[in-house]
Amino acid sequence: MSLSPRPSATTAIDSILFRDAFGTPRMRGVFSDHALIGRYVEVEVALAKAETRCGVIPEDAAAEIAARCSADALDLDLLREETDIVGYPILPLVHQLVTQCGEAGRYVHWGATTQDIMDTAVVLQVREGLKIVAEDVAELRAILAGLARKHRDTPMAGRTHLQQALPVTFGYKAAVWLAMFDRHAERLEQLKPRVLVGQFAGAAGTLASLGTKGLEVQEALCAELGLDVPASTWHVARDGLAETLNLLALITGSLGKIALDVMIMASTEFAEVYEPFVTGRGASSTMPQKRNPISSELILAASKAVRQHAGLMLDAMVQDFERATGPWHAEWIALPESFVLTAGALNQAKFALGGLIVDDAQMAKNLGISRGLIVAEAAMMALAPHIGRQQAHDVVYAACRAVNEGGGTLAEALAREDEVTRHFDRAAIDRLTDPANYLGLAPQMVDRVLQRSGRVGPHLETAR
């Protein structure tokens, strides 16, 4: 018995199984084939309107082109076949648009080159894609601000080199995350003037086919589409699109850092945070007790993929002369996939962090497992004014060795040292070795991040 073939995707971002794990319907819609072809048609129509306004083509021709050009009426099978032959979709597209427009069809694509239409269409996609990314980043910043504010004073072990280092607060950790995305929000705005720029320059970029009207038409086309006017042709100057994708890599890189923190903190031995509970999510087919951090895993995978595409875009910047012989094509792979993956990673982050379960009791327990050694620095710095910094270091170092070798707590070991008890009674020693009393300025740093983020917190007066 043979099975009838079914159309299927071959990449994770289009897969019927994985597409909503690695992307979102909204972003896939922006970068879908139908949307891209629609953008091509939109640019061709806008060009005709611009050229009419500049007196380059008859007014009635532009009206006919605007009325009759239809992406929905295209023969997509024929478009695909001819694109495969030509190597680019615009000439086959223009063939069909000319037919759609009848007599006015002679003015379709007037003075343009293939890359003008494709580049401008991609910029329109990028504009829509950046809008979605910016909205998601804004939502995530609100979530992170809530975590930072709520857990401003929740003590936990700060870790360096995967070892307990000094106490921090979970709010401080969330504030560090928030500050990253505050900067990304700034970058998203700063990027726009450099990237949301139209492309209309003709075969070699000189607009020779339109005589003296070229720059006027270029400006009118950009106005029609709501894009900025380029200072110069950017057929082979791809820094804007490369910057866009590298910003996506920065955003997903920050998401990957958060995801890694969450995954480690969710491990059985740490058990400090958990992704939101949904029946069946993160379940194992063989181990019923498992609760895997699925969103964090997907975020980390997406961050790695976007990073690879960022490198590809940088490589594609190296283009020959006035029109490239191949690097441009790499963008067709990297751009849509990176936008979809970024949207997917942001969506997973909003879910995971928006419902993050924080076990502050377990954080406190983990903070105590070193038996006070995590605040050895506090004891040393308190003792230093009395006996000197280096002598204090040696005394506390000896006490730490005693704890490691013989058990007990740092407070007990210090209480046996004459150099310590000469200056501190047992109550003072206990206070010195309580990790909750050695948070540094972590809470105040939370306040400062919230203030700069424009999110007033309950302890804001402390930061002033």
Side-chain angles (χ1 to χ4, degrees):
M1 174 180 173
S2 61
L3 297 174
S4 59
R6 296 180 181 179
S8 62
T10 55
T11 69
I13 63 173
D14 291 317
S15 163
I16 60 173
L17 296 176
F18 302 121
R19 63 189 178 199
D20 289 333
F22 285 105
T24 63
R26 187 180 176 195
M27 191 66 88
R28 284 198 303 274
V30 171
F31 286 91
S32 70
D33 281 341
H34 287 88
L36 180 58
I37 294 167
R39 293 297 192 185
Y40 293 156
V41 175
E42 180 183 353
V43 177
E44 293 286 7
V45 169
L47 176 60
K49 291 180 178 179
E51 289 177 330
T52 287
R53 197 153 59 234
C54 297
V56 174
I57 68 173
E59 187 172 343
D60 58 347
E64 280 292 291
I65 290 169
R68 299 175 68 171
C69 280
S70 170
D72 293 335
L74 294 170
D75 182 337
L76 296 182
D77 287 332
L78 177 61
L79 183 60
R80 184 189 67 251
E81 291 168 6
E82 291 189 351
T83 297
D84 197 36
I85 294 169
V86 176
Y88 304 94
I90 301 305
L91 181 58
L93 173 71
V94 170
H95 285 161
Q96 294 195 45
L97 295 182
V98 167
T99 301
Q100 287 181 5
C101 294
E103 187 66 21
R106 70 177 70 184
Y107 297 108
V108 171
H109 199 67
W110 193 269
T113 192
T114 287
Q115 193 170 345
D116 290 338
I117 306 303
M118 293 182 68
D119 276 352
T120 304
V122 166
V123 170
L124 294 176
Q125 285 184 301
V126 166
R127 180 171 66 185
E128 188 67 19
L130 289 175
K131 179 176 181 287
I132 295 172
V133 171
E135 290 172 1
D136 286 342
V137 166
E139 290 181 38
L140 184 59
R141 289 169 65 204
I143 291 168
L144 292 173
L147 286 172
R149 186 179 298 111
K150 180 178 180 180
H151 295 284
R152 174 187 187 269
D153 302 305
T154 303
M156 66 174 295
R159 298 174 175 99
T160 63
H161 302 276
L162 288 178
Q163 307 294 310
Q164 287 201 2
L166 288 174
V168 297
T169 70
F170 184 66
Y172 164 81
K173 183 182 287 289
V176 171
W177 298 343
L178 171 60
M180 291 192 293
F181 281 90
D182 286 345
R183 292 189 290 272
H184 292 324
E186 291 178 3
R187 292 180 179 112
L188 282 164
E189 286 303 309
Q190 294 163 354
L191 180 78
K192 291 177 182 178
R194 294 189 290 273
V195 175
L196 302 184
V197 176
Q199 175 85 283
F200 180 70
T206 63
L207 286 166
S209 62
L210 293 182
T212 60
K213 292 281 190 176
L215 292 177
E216 186 182 349
V217 170
Q218 183 188 75
E219 186 173 345
L221 171 62
C222 290
E224 191 72 36
L225 295 170
L227 299 173
D228 287 340
V229 179
S232 65
T233 305
W234 51 277
H235 285 153
V236 288
R238 313 305 286 182
D239 55 288
L241 293 179
E243 182 184 3
T244 301
L245 208 152
N246 276 268
L247 175 52
L248 299 184
L250 288 175
I251 290 170
T252 53
S254 293
L255 290 173
K257 183 273 184 289
I258 296 173
L260 185 59
D261 279 0
V262 170
M263 283 190 288
I264 296 175
M265 292 169 69
S267 63
T268 305
E269 289 77 10
F270 283 64
E272 293 178 340
V273 300
Y274 297 98
E275 291 186 0
F277 178 76
V278 176
T279 301
R281 185 167 180 80
S284 165
S285 62
T286 59
M287 295 171 285
Q289 84 280 9
K290 291 298 291 297
R291 186 173 168 183
N292 298 321
I294 295 300
S295 288
S296 297
E297 293 174 6
L298 292 168
I299 291 167
L300 190 59
S303 73
K304 293 176 182 292
V306 176
R307 181 189 67 192
Q308 294 299 105
H309 282 326
L312 179 59
M313 286 293 287
L314 292 175
D315 195 14
M317 289 179 67
V318 185
Q319 303 202 3
D320 46 293
F321 297 107
E322 281 62 58
R323 293 287 286 279
T325 53
W328 178 42
H329 301 64
E331 296 177 2
W332 309 353
I333 302 167
L335 270 166
E337 289 190 8
S338 295
F339 268 98
V340 173
L341 288 166
T342 300
L346 283 164
N347 190 53
Q348 294 291 346
K350 289 189 296 180
F351 167 78
L353 297 171
L356 192 69
I357 299 167
V358 179
D359 191 337
D360 52 359
Q362 183 64 29
M363 288 179 174
K365 181 179 177 182
N366 287 343
L367 193 55
I369 64 174
S370 73
R371 295 166 293 170
L373 296 185
I374 194 171
V375 286
E377 180 188 75
M380 180 189 75
M381 294 306 294
L383 190 57
H386 301 284
I387 64 174
R389 192 262 179 209
Q390 188 57 46
Q391 180 66 15
H393 176 277
D394 294 343
V395 169
V396 176
Y397 181 79
C400 290
R401 284 193 61 191
V403 173
N404 285 326
E405 294 174 3
T409 66
L410 179 60
E412 292 168 346
L414 289 173
R416 294 192 293 267
E417 296 285 342
D418 292 340
E419 290 277 21
V420 177
T421 57
R422 188 175 297 123
H423 304 286
F424 300 99
D425 61 20
R426 182 53 194 264
I429 293 172
D430 287 340
R431 286 194 299 274
L432 282 176
T433 55
D434 181 352
N437 293 331
Y438 198 63
L439 299 175
L441 295 176
Q444 289 78 10
M445 289 181 182
V446 173
D447 295 336
R448 187 167 64 182
V449 170
L450 290 172
Q451 183 181 39
R452 291 187 179 183
S453 189
R455 303 167 196 278
V456 177
H459 301 279
L460 192 56
E461 68 281 356
T462 316
R464 292 188 178 131

